[in-house]
Amino acid sequence: MSHTNWYEVLDTSNLISPSLLVYPHRIEKNIEQMIAMVDDVDLLQPHIKTHKTAEIVQMQLRYGIKKFKCATIAEAELLALSGATEILYAMPLVGTNIARFVKLIKTYPNAAFSTLVDNNTSLRQIAAVAAEENIIISLWMDINVGMHRTGISPNDKAISLFCEIENLPNIEAKGFHVYDGHIHHTDFDRQKHAVDTAFASVVKLKEQLEQQEITVKNIIAGGSPSFPVHVQRKNVRVAPGTTLLWDAQYEDFFSYMQFQTAAVLLTRIISKPAPNTLCFDLGHKSIAPEMNFPRVRFLNLPDSEQISQSEEHLVVKVKDDTLYQVGDCFYAIPRHICPTVAKYETLKVVENGKVTAEWEVAARNQQINI
């Protein structure tokens, strides 16, 4: 295969299939695009749940991005090990993760850790642990603006909760955390209207607290889908994540965002079990399976239809199977990159058509050290 497309690897003979390939030049372009969209790089707090990889964190650090968001204790530890200065563990603290979070604070004093809270019971439990350990725990009040996943509705109960966060000893009130991942409009004007409508309740809540002379120091809002909307606000932090690698779903949904696909699956035909039918080694275990078909967008397999998938296999219909042979390599963009990355121990780094390195997906497991 001649090197005529950006995704192609010149020599695939030693590449395991399936493999997940990443392209540093394109990741770098995505970082530059994120920065170009914000007034101040200090307002960028990217999520690492998509890539879970130290090398991609370090790329962002070189561009002056110091704040990050994560979804697991392992991701938080990876960020601390990589040199991030401010780390938001954006999950409610429960069970043994309370003790693990305290250990993070004590083990990595050069990093400022924070986390979320959305109820009085958790708040008081965290405050009691902070007092017992003689430390300060920084908390963001998680606000539910319609996703109904975590968070407190922006009403009188939220005012009471934030007042308690503000007044408890050993607790620092960081501000509001607002995630609106349920809003997915392909038209930017509709997306902006929906995101702004949801955010209006957050603005109102902030104003109500300020009327009681309580300052909301910071707001961190949104993810990749609402990133272009929230960047237009003053002094609001933004937390895109998928923007680093991008995927086929977001490329379809949000064509108005100028991000590049930077992660591609390499897969091979393993069988031709019936006329005009190809089977690839790309099963549930190798790609996020929760999406409807198509699960991937093939870059070099035109006029194909994905018809079934099992643990190890992806079956595809084509118009003329004589064009393809068992063992042929193909390239495909995942529909959903975040859970796909977590299925791989390493990312194969491709530069100028050659695999030049392997990056460990260091935070794919539950623990690193803590």
Side-chain angles (χ1 to χ4, degrees):
M1 184 181 289
S2 62
H3 186 225
T4 57
N5 294 303
W6 64 267
Y7 51 83
E8 291 176 356
V9 177
L10 290 168
D11 181 5
T12 61
S13 58
N14 292 317
L15 266 178
I16 295 170
S17 61
S19 286
L20 186 56
L21 316 177
V22 292
Y23 304 78
H25 178 70
R26 296 172 77 89
I27 296 172
E28 192 169 7
K29 290 295 183 185
N30 288 340
I31 295 170
E32 291 172 350
Q33 178 64 17
M34 289 194 308
I35 292 171
M37 291 172 68
V38 296
D39 289 332
D40 182 357
V41 70
D42 204 43
L43 293 175
L44 262 178
Q45 192 157 352
H47 209 307
I48 75 158
K49 70 181 178 68
T50 297
H51 58 82
K52 302 173 182 284
T53 304
E55 287 82 357
I56 298 177
V57 172
Q58 290 157 4
M59 290 175 74
Q60 294 173 86
L61 288 167
R62 289 195 291 272
Y63 275 85
I65 299 170
K66 302 288 181 66
K67 301 182 179 76
F68 294 88
K69 183 176 170 182
C70 62
T72 70
I73 296 292
E75 290 173 6
E77 186 170 14
L78 178 66
L79 284 165
L81 289 167
S82 300
T85 60
E86 191 168 335
I87 300 164
L88 167 56
Y89 170 62
M91 289 284 286
L93 279 178
V94 294
T96 191
N97 278 351
I98 298 175
R100 294 177 73 202
F101 187 76
V102 169
K103 192 170 182 180
L104 279 175
I105 293 171
K106 291 186 171 183
T107 305
Y108 301 100
N110 292 329
F113 293 94
S114 60
T115 187
L116 307 181
V117 70
D118 66 3
N119 66 88
N120 299 92
T121 301
S122 295
L123 172 59
R124 290 164 191 170
Q125 186 178 10
I126 293 167
V129 171
E132 182 180 343
E133 297 288 341
N134 195 28
I135 59 172
I136 301 295
I137 294 182
S138 299
L139 296 177
W140 300 78
M141 186 170 72
D142 190 19
I143 299 176
N144 175 15
V145 291
M147 194 166 189
H148 307 312
R149 188 172 69 178
T150 66
I152 188 170
S153 296
N155 53 28
D156 290 344
K157 288 184 177 179
I159 292 173
S160 299
L161 179 62
F162 196 83
C163 289
E164 188 170 359
I165 297 169
E166 184 78 17
N167 293 323
L168 276 171
N170 298 92
I171 296 294
E172 178 195 14
K174 289 288 292 182
F176 294 166
H177 172 268
V178 185
Y179 185 64
D180 48 16
H182 59 295
I183 304 175
H184 287 83
H185 293 293
T186 57
D187 175 77
F188 177 73
D189 289 337
R190 288 186 65 198
Q191 179 77 347
K192 185 177 186 313
H193 175 75
V195 171
D196 286 344
T197 299
F199 195 76
S201 62
V202 178
V203 174
K204 181 180 178 181
L205 183 65
K206 182 175 182 289
E207 291 171 348
Q208 289 174 314
L209 284 163
E210 288 172 345
Q211 289 169 5
Q212 299 182 34
E213 299 184 349
I214 296 173
T215 300
V216 179
K217 297 174 186 175
N218 303 288
I219 298 176
I220 182 167
S224 297
S226 56
F227 176 52
V229 179
H230 290 304
V231 292
Q232 298 178 18
R233 311 188 197 285
K234 290 185 177 180
N235 301 319
V236 171
R237 299 186 192 184
V238 285
T242 306
T243 48
L244 274 300
L245 297 180
W246 217 226
D247 59 26
Q249 176 179 234
Y250 278 10
E251 195 169 73
D252 288 344
F253 283 179
F254 310 117
S255 58
Y256 49 82
M257 289 198 226
Q258 302 302 308
F259 294 103
Q260 300 182 7
T261 303
V264 175
L265 289 157
L266 178 139
T267 182
R268 288 184 173 94
I269 298 173
I270 58 171
S271 181
K272 297 169 66 176
N276 297 330
T277 304
L278 309 176
C279 182
F280 292 86
D281 53 0
L282 198 61
H284 297 157
K285 294 177 181 176
S286 303
I287 187 168
E290 83 281 10
M291 297 292 176
N292 294 326
F293 287 126
R295 298 271 161 78
V296 297
R297 178 188 298 152
F298 279 100
L299 291 167
N300 59 332
L301 186 66
D303 300 321
S304 61
E305 179 188 4
Q306 295 160 45
I307 59 172
S308 71
Q309 190 180 36
S310 52
E311 292 185 32
E312 315 290 354
H313 309 81
L314 175 67
V315 180
V316 177
K317 280 286 188 182
V318 293
K319 291 185 176 180
D320 183 2
D321 69 272
T322 64
L323 299 173
Y324 313 107
Q325 301 301 320
V326 170
D328 285 353
C329 284
F330 289 83
Y331 300 84
I333 302 171
R335 291 288 296 170
H336 194 185
I337 186 61
C338 307
T340 298
V341 170
K343 293 177 179 290
Y344 291 85
E345 293 181 1
T346 61
L347 308 176
K348 313 301 183 186
V349 179
V350 180
E351 299 174 282
N352 298 316
K354 296 180 180 180
V355 175
T356 58
E358 291 188 359
W359 291 347
E360 181 186 3
V361 185
R364 70 190 288 263
N365 296 322
Q366 288 184 322
Q367 288 181 285
I368 296 178
N369 297 306
I370 292 174

